[in-house]
Amino acid sequence: MKFEKIRDLREDNDKTQTELADYLHIKQTTYSKYELGKINIPIEAFIKLADYYNVTVDYLIGRESKKK
């Protein structure tokens, strides 16, 4: 499953994959694979990203259309 919202939020906030990878304590290549849907994103990472962007996890996974 591809998670376009995490890429869109990153780009909208002028962040790089490296910055988000550092925040999540992972490699940039791993973060890239998250965005492309090549590997599953651990729930802990979803929660951290939702907190970082001040959105819900449901928004990140596409279950709701409003950020908050």
Side-chain angles (χ1 to χ4, degrees), residues 2-23:
K2 187 173 176 182
F3 295 103
E4 295 175 4
K5 294 204 188 227
I6 64 169
R7 184 193 66 218
D8 293 343
L9 282 168
R10 178 180 58 77
E11 291 174 348
D12 289 348
N13 286 275
D14 296 321
K15 298 296 180 185
T16 65
Q17 287 184 345
T18 301
E19 289 173 306
L20 271 295
D22 289 345
Y23 174 72

Side-chain angles (χ1 to χ4, degrees), residues 47-59:
I47 293 167
K48 285 185 81 170
L49 288 169
D51 290 345
Y52 184 84
Y53 291 120
N54 195 33
V55 298
T56 65
V57 173
D58 280 347
Y59 176 78

Side-chain angles (χ1 to χ4, degrees), residues 1-3 29-41:
M1 177 178 233
K2 187 173 176 182
F3 295 103
T29 53
T30 301
Y31 186 85
S32 175
K33 290 176 184 176
Y34 288 172
E35 286 190 0
L36 296 171
K38 291 188 176 186
I39 60 174
N40 289 327
I41 303 172

